[in-house]
Amino acid sequence: MRNPFLACAAVVLTAAALAACGSSADGNGPEAAGAQRPAASGSAVPGPSATTDATEPAAPPTEEPADPEASAPAATAEGPKTPADEITPATGTFTKKQKEYLKDRVPKGMDPAAVLQTGEETCAKLRYLVKADRDTAVGAIVTGEVPDAKDAVAGLCTQHQDLVDEAAHGYPDGKHSGKKLRPGVYRSASPTADCSWQIEGAGGKELASGASDTGKSRKITIPDSAVTFTSTGCYAWLPEGAAG
């Protein structure tokens, strides 16, 4: 984990995400649409239960995952997907928005409510982060710490589209060059005390560099003549203005 804030937030995020998904108050969770959560006692997919007696033949895997976390990898797995017109919850119905999100996402044999839950959890994480610190929320999308944010927001929590739009113009730590390098003014989002950066032009000429050991946000300008931009320990850089 990159810093103490997200280290502490990780535990809270899990609880907040599950609580948000399970709540029917805002009508966003699978249960609110009549979708049934996967049973916690069901066998994990794939494979038999770990408690199966070695002398007995293994029971075939059920279609329901053991828990919400187990459903996340399978939800994006390669392989045959359930046709859109066959995606239905165990009980009730999905909303139009939920059906659109689930299209081409539900592996054959998987409970669509489990796949929907992963998207709802992504939205719950963004809700939590944006309340705590908006720049951290955008930075989490830039760095990929909140995966599937683009699709989850587009289909399930459109109120956070501004976070995704801003993240599209940001930079995570690392080396950036070529067409991905855009001139403009940027600010660091939740940097560590070991944040440093360097901007180089043609022939490796250093145009600007700096470091911050305070953990406070800093601003930099990437000029038109920049060829490479390298960042370490700064987490993410966000554009000043709509598009940097």
Side-chain angles (χ1 to χ4, degrees):
M1 192 64 65
R2 61 170 188 86
N3 64 21
F5 174 79
L6 283 186
C8 295
V11 176
V12 181
L13 279 177
T14 301
L18 294 177
C21 294
S23 173
S24 59
D26 60 7
N28 288 331
E31 291 82 3
Q36 182 178 358
R37 283 179 180 267
S41 59
S43 299
V45 177
S49 170
T51 58
T52 301
D53 193 324
T55 62
E56 296 179 359
T62 65
E63 293 185 358
E64 297 180 344
D67 54 55
E69 294 298 327
S71 67
T76 57
E78 296 296 328
K81 301 294 191 298
T82 302
D85 58 355
E86 295 180 14
I87 297 177
T88 56
T91 59
T93 59
F94 288 130
T95 65
K96 181 179 179 180
K97 184 183 293 186
Q98 290 170 336
K99 286 182 179 179
E100 186 62 28
Y101 174 75
L102 290 171
K103 185 178 180 181
D104 299 324
R105 287 178 174 275
V106 184
K108 282 280 190 178
M110 172 169 277
D111 181 0
V115 179
L116 176 62
Q117 183 173 311
T118 65
E120 294 286 0
E121 288 174 352
T122 293
C123 290
K125 290 176 182 177
L126 290 177
R127 282 195 295 271
Y128 173 85
L129 287 174
V130 78
K131 287 181 180 179
D133 182 73
R134 188 181 183 281
D135 276 4
T136 299
V138 178
I141 299 175
V142 172
T143 62
E145 286 193 348
V146 177
D148 192 36
K150 181 179 180 180
D151 291 335
V153 167
L156 300 174
C157 47
T158 55
Q159 70 270 27
H160 295 313
Q161 187 61 50
D162 61 316
L163 304 180
V164 174
D165 292 342
E166 184 174 343
H169 298 281
Y171 296 101
D173 272 336
K175 186 175 183 178
H176 309 277
S177 61
K179 295 181 179 179
K180 293 183 178 180
L181 195 61
R182 297 176 298 275
V185 179
Y186 296 82
R187 67 186 182 280
S188 54
S190 299
T192 70
D194 297 314
C195 173
S196 63
W197 62 91
Q198 183 177 38
I199 302 173
E200 296 180 341
K205 180 182 179 181
E206 182 177 295
L207 302 179
S209 64
S212 174
D213 59 3
T214 64
K216 295 182 179 180
S217 180
R218 296 289 298 274
K219 288 186 180 181
I220 62 171
T221 298
I222 298 179
D224 292 333
S225 57
V227 175
T228 63
F229 166 49
T230 305
S231 168
T232 303
C234 303
Y235 185 50
W237 294 89
L238 311 183
E240 287 286 291

